[in-house]
Amino acid sequence: MTKTLADRSVLDPVLDRGWAMTDGRDAITKTFTFSDFTEAFAWMTRAALFAEKMDHHPEWFNVYKTVTVTLSTHDAGGLSQLDVKLADKLDGI
């Protein structure tokens, strides 16, 4: 079982890049906006490959050129280091 984050200061760089705490749960959320649907879908495809390699999958919602991503580690019951690592990857795509 993955452990939740004991040191919440590791979230500071992620929050500084536009991620926000999710209301009502121990998770972070960010909305990515692209030029069109094709660009958004291409980003999601690249993100899916990273997520699969990490065996850590995001919750996401896509409408046209926007993708809203929520990260939380379900088996830990909240945020974990996996969420920070995946947020870093998603920001880097």
Side-chain angles (χ1 to χ4, degrees):
M1 179 179 234
T2 307
K3 294 181 182 179
T4 57
L5 287 174
D7 179 6
R8 292 302 177 117
S9 68
V10 299
L11 286 174
D12 291 343
V14 173
L15 298 175
D16 289 344
R17 291 193 313 267
W19 290 85
M21 296 302 298
T22 306
D23 289 337
R25 55 187 289 211
D26 192 21
I28 53 175
T29 302
K30 183 174 182 179
T31 298
F32 295 84
T33 304
F34 302 93
S35 62
D36 58 24
F37 177 75
T38 302
E39 189 178 313
F41 195 87
W43 180 88
M44 290 175 71
T45 301
R46 290 190 301 274
L49 294 173
F50 281 118
E52 188 63 21
K53 284 182 185 179
M54 292 176 66
D55 193 26
H56 188 59
H57 305 93
E59 298 173 27
W60 55 20
F61 181 75
N62 165 244
V63 176
Y64 183 52
K65 66 179 186 174
T66 62
V67 181
T68 301
V69 179
T70 300
L71 300 176
S72 184
T73 304
H74 298 285
D75 70 346
L79 288 165
S80 75
Q81 190 62 41
L82 285 172
D83 301 303
V84 174
K85 287 179 183 178
L86 187 52
D88 289 342
K89 290 284 188 189
L90 296 178
D91 285 337
I93 296 176

